Amino acid sequence: MYEKILVAADGSEHSKRAVQEAVKMAKTNPEAKVTLLYVVDYGKARNEILHTQSPDELHLERRKHLQPLEDIFHSTGVQFETKTLHGTPGPTIVKHANETGYDVVFIGSRGLNALQEMVLGSVSHKVAKRVEAPVIIVK
Amino acid sequence: MSYKEQWFGNIRADILSGIVVALALIPEAIAFSIIAGVDPMVGLYASFSIAVIIAFVGGRPAMISAATGAMALAMVTLVRDHGLDYLLAATILTGVLQVIFGFLKIARFMKFIPRAVMIGFVNSLAILIFMAQVPFIFGINMTTYIFVGVTLAIVYILPRFFTAIPAPLIAILVLSGIVMYTGIDMQNVGSLGTITQSLPTFFIPNVPFNLETLQIIFPTALALSIIGLLESLLTASILDDATETDSDKNQEARGQGIANFITGFFGGMAGCAMIGQSGINVQSGGRGRLSTFTAGVVLIFLIIVLGNWVVQIPMPVLAGIMVMVCIGTFDWGSFKYMVTAPKSDAIVMLLTVVVVVYTHDLSKGVLAGVLLSAILFAAKISKVEVRNKGLNADASNVYTVHGQLFFASSQDFVSAFDAIEPAERIIIDFSDAAIWDDSGVGAIDRVMGRLQSKAESIEITGLNPSSEKLVKTLATYTNSEENASQH
């Protein structure tokens, strides 16, 4: 049975569906606990700072990404914790997943920025390749 | 985190990231020297000296400070009209001003600079750096276009497959090699200046020490100190966020000053923090002061060892790398911002860009942007509205006031009562309003005076305690009101 479940999310529609799938799996095991991982992208830190007047506004903007995802957990009663890390999304997710050791990892197939995917390749693909646990890519 | 931990808490990663940054810094330091109109050594010495000094005295560990485009652009006129020695004197004065600003705790004023102005700042910086590259790219020959194109292809495509060595460096190595091997006739760094393979030495700029000199260098030094602090404190905020650590912004301001002050005596131009390079440092694992220190030391070491090769860098390659820097500097979210942000913010952003591009001075654009947004802000909050709620059962006519009542809105407030209908009792409800100053109180007083003829009794309700205190102590009408309510 899957007990330690990681779902990496960025607030996009795809990541929302990833959370929903993670919840589905968690429901099958009362012992299951889901970690909701949100990575604040280094590459976007500059633009986020430029477009917010204060660190508090930035904090609120990021909460807005996470809130709908947390609501999914609250409404289903699945045990979860939210974790925010800073770094480049792909490697940061991989590092956290491998260091902590999860039974399964969920990730949405496409994040917020299409341009980055074109230039740098897909984050979910990298994660699937490098995470040691089974990875479920949700589209 | 203790000062010692800030130095030695992350030794291995700091040294590696410092080396990466040094490699990425060299082409930029040379290009910014060319923009400023000085020898490449002026920018290279500055980058060495500022990085090493700021590593000790800065307030934001892992931030990279060196010669920058924003600063180079602000010194063009001074260099052209008066020469290098005046630039060095201005650099020293910039340092003095920044130290003073640091002690005056300038950092707290940063929050008053609207984001629209900061977006305008980075956008106009990108535009100006691009404009400075135009003479090296356009209208020369086909080979130049090809070299610029290949440079851009390398810096954008190569990192997809290989990130251990900065792509700009690979572009430089490959394309310089091709030029040297084939003997293509092309402008290179050597045709615009010389590289001295030695450490910088201490000397006092050769300028007369009089008021005239001060008059020449002061405007530039003031512009430099403002631009430098603005970019440095913005970069510090970005690093704070990216590394989830705090920094001492006032110490950083003083540190920038100390670094520029000393750099001026060693033949370097004024500099500041670099957003792009600091990002490279953090993404390469740099977290401590050692990374900044390493970047400076490795940079000067490379110049001393490889100086003869550095002059061979073809200008189209350097220009191509600068185009990449522009693309990275420009805030591409601005186009969406123009549509989604409030109109006033979009106008402030545009004004900042237009003023900078027109004057070639970032500080003037920032000043214009801050002034306009202050005026627009005052205009926005000075809208006060009076609504008539109609007659109550007891024949009293109720008016509600919405907004901020102060010197800029008091006139509108008074004239809103010009055409009101006479009634037995008039109630003015301030629940949704605040009174800020004597003008607001005076306006209430004037309205009361005018309404005397239109109503038998006038009542004011809903004042918050502080407003009520203000009105009680200052308004003359209160006496008559109290008298009226006593009968």
Side-chain angles (χ1 to χ4, degrees), chain A residues 40-55 57-59 61-62 84-88 115 117-122 126, chain B residues 110-116 118-119 122 156 159-160 234 237-238 240-244 275 282-283 287 327-334 337:
Chain A
V40 176
D41 191 345
Y42 275 151
K44 287 193 277 184
R46 187 195 80 131
N47 289 356
E48 287 179 330
I49 296 272
L50 266 183
H51 283 271
T52 47
Q53 192 67 57
S54 69
E57 190 187 338
L58 184 55
H59 172 77
E61 284 298 314
R62 286 177 183 156
T84 304
L85 295 175
H86 290 244
T88 312
L115 184 76
E117 191 167 328
M118 199 179 75
V119 180
L120 301 172
S122 143
K126 277 185 195 166
Chain B
M110 272 297 285
K111 62 174 177 280
F112 292 112
I113 296 177
R115 65 186 128 170
M118 289 315 295
I119 296 171
V122 298
Y156 280 108
R160 271 195 75 158
L234 174 66
S237 307
I238 294 168
D240 287 355
D241 183 63
T243 60
E244 288 181 283
I275 299 176
V282 168
Q283 294 205 34
R287 288 292 180 279
I327 293 173
T329 301
F330 196 87
D331 173 47
W332 296 95
S334 298
Y337 179 80

Side-chain angles (χ1 to χ4, degrees), chain B residues 162-217:
Chain B
F162 181 69
T163 51
I165 301 171
L169 192 74
I170 295 173
I172 286 176
L173 289 176
V174 171
L175 292 171
S176 303
I178 290 175
V179 171
M180 287 163 78
Y181 185 74
T182 58
I184 300 170
D185 182 32
M186 185 173 275
Q187 212 180 18
N188 60 24
V189 169
S191 42
L192 291 162
T194 49
I195 296 284
T196 323
Q197 287 171 281
S198 62
L199 285 169
T201 49
F202 179 90
F203 66 97
I204 292 167
N206 182 22
V207 294
F209 290 92
N210 57 27
L211 200 62
E212 203 195 331
T213 302
L214 190 66
Q215 280 172 341
I216 293 169
I217 62 172

Side-chain angles (χ1 to χ4, degrees), chain B residues 16-101:
Chain B
L16 285 175
S17 65
I19 293 170
V20 173
V21 170
L23 296 175
L25 264 181
I26 291 173
E28 291 198 15
I30 294 169
F32 295 145
S33 306
I34 292 167
I35 288 177
V38 294
D39 222 38
M41 287 320 289
V42 179
L44 290 165
Y45 279 160
S47 297
F48 159 64
S49 157
I50 294 171
V52 168
I53 296 164
I54 207 78
F56 289 95
V57 296
R60 172 65 255 178
M63 187 156 84
I64 303 296
S65 297
T68 59
M71 299 294 259
L73 289 161
M75 47 184 84
V76 174
T77 316
L78 182 72
V79 172
R80 191 188 58 210
D81 295 348
H82 300 280
L84 176 63
D85 281 296
Y86 280 84
L87 169 64
L88 300 180
T91 299
I92 294 165
L93 183 58
T94 300
V96 173
L97 290 174
Q98 288 181 326
V99 170
I100 294 172
F101 285 142

